[in-house]
Amino acid sequence: MTSIDLGAAPAFEGIRQRRRWRIVLALGCFAGLATLLAVGVGPLDTVALDIIGWALHVPLGEPLTELQQSVIVDIRLPRVVMALLAGIGLAISGCLMQSLFRNPLADPGLIGVSSGAALAAAVTIVLAEHLPIWFLHLGPFALPVAAAIGSLLATLAILRLADLAGGETTLVLLLAGIGIGVLAEVGVGFLIFISNEQELRDLTFWRMGSLAGNGWAQAAIVAIPVAVIVLFAWRIATALNALSLGDDVAGHLGIDVVHLQRGIVITVAAAIGAIVAFSGMIGFLGLVAPHLARLLVGQDHRWLVPASALIGCVIMTFGDLVTRIAVAPAELPIGLVTGALGCPVFLFLLVRQMRYGTT
């Protein structure tokens, strides 16, 4: 159960606001630094000053060669943009889920959307020869399209089950999501059981996540639902503060709780579906990013949402950079790296918070 301090003295509130501004600005600087490093570091080394000069059309360093420009524009930049979008989408989705269920352990996977996408992807990988020919003609987009359809069907099933149960209360949505998620994982387990060695390998690597192979087209598709969830979360930040006090309190404050819950579920499902479709399963980030943000800026969603998004950007961008250089020329799954990067920081801040009562 979360709580909001509504009675802070004006002087203390002013100090806290300035501290939050400094934290958000620092996170923004970290995100910018991570982005610059991700663009500049790779098998074809480039100097950050050269990249900045090239981008600003200012002679700050050595001019980039045509090969360097092509690598940056066609390969690294779209991949970095995809990492930023995935980080923002996963972090804000986790923030909304934790606010909706008033549980800091909630994440986007809790409502079964990710499992629905995984089941559809597993069907595409293992049962490809039984799928319609037109679907297979989608080529490299077949797997992302299937994952998006899977997440959409899972969301519709959750909302339908909530209607049949008599109302979209937080508890009903949670239980329906858990049920759909378990059912989808059973299907994935069965497909893993009947898959051959190559299918099992493809499915395993997809579930661990990767940003490889994404270009401007994929980034543009993912940008739409991510932009929607950013605007939606920003708009309902005050309502989320009220919702964290309980459904009844939010209702007494004039908030349409059912409408708000439905909006959260749909926007999270759309964002997670698009991200999972093009990057696979990236766990942990949706759980840990809001946690870290909450430890840094507190419970107020007007600060929690942007702080979560910036932390998601930093973790995903650094994580993708590590996947590319740690075991080059091979790549590590992004899900492993984001967990390894975010978990120690999370545990450090958690212990510090519990021990000293401050961050």
Side-chain angles (χ1 to χ4, degrees), residues 78 82 117 120-125 128 131-150 206 212-223 273-280:
M82 181 63 84
V123 169
T124 305
I125 293 173
L131 296 176
I133 296 298
W134 65 265
F135 186 79
L136 298 179
H137 284 169
L138 294 174
F141 287 94
L143 192 61
V145 168
I149 293 174
W206 182 84
N214 286 310
W216 288 114
Q218 290 85 350
I221 294 173
V222 174
I275 293 169
V276 170
F278 290 101
S279 62

Side-chain angles (χ1 to χ4, degrees), residues 206-246:
W206 182 84
R207 284 171 65 87
M208 288 193 290
S210 174
L211 296 178
N214 286 310
W216 288 114
Q218 290 85 350
I221 294 173
V222 174
I224 297 173
V226 170
V228 170
I229 199 170
V230 168
L231 295 174
F232 177 72
W234 182 260
R235 184 178 179 186
I236 66 170
T238 304
L240 290 174
N241 287 342
L243 189 65
S244 66
L245 301 175

Side-chain angles (χ1 to χ4, degrees), residues 27 38 54 94-95 103 106 124 181 208 239 306:
L27 290 173
W54 166 74
C95 182
N103 188 330
T124 305
M208 288 193 290

Side-chain angles (χ1 to χ4, degrees), residues 48-142:
L49 199 60
D50 298 345
I51 297 175
I52 296 174
W54 166 74
L56 298 177
H57 300 285
V58 176
L60 296 178
E62 295 292 329
L64 298 181
T65 66
E66 290 188 6
L67 177 61
Q68 288 174 322
Q69 294 180 27
S70 177
V71 168
I72 290 173
V73 173
D74 299 328
I75 299 176
R76 291 185 188 171
L77 268 179
R79 181 164 176 158
V80 171
V81 170
M82 181 63 84
L84 294 173
L85 292 171
I88 293 172
L90 290 170
I92 292 183
S93 296
C95 182
L96 293 180
M97 286 292 96
Q98 292 175 10
S99 301
L100 175 62
F101 296 116
R102 292 188 290 280
N103 188 330
L105 297 179
D107 76 346
L110 192 64
I111 59 172
V113 176
S114 300
S115 298
L119 177 59
V123 169
T124 305
I125 293 173
V126 179
L127 304 178
E129 60 185 19
H130 302 292
L131 296 176
I133 296 298
W134 65 265
F135 186 79
L136 298 179
H137 284 169
L138 294 174
F141 287 94

Side-chain angles (χ1 to χ4, degrees), residues 267-289:
T267 51
V268 168
I272 295 300
I275 293 169
V276 170
F278 290 101
S279 62
M281 306 282 283
I282 304 175
F284 188 73
L285 184 61
L287 170 66
V288 74

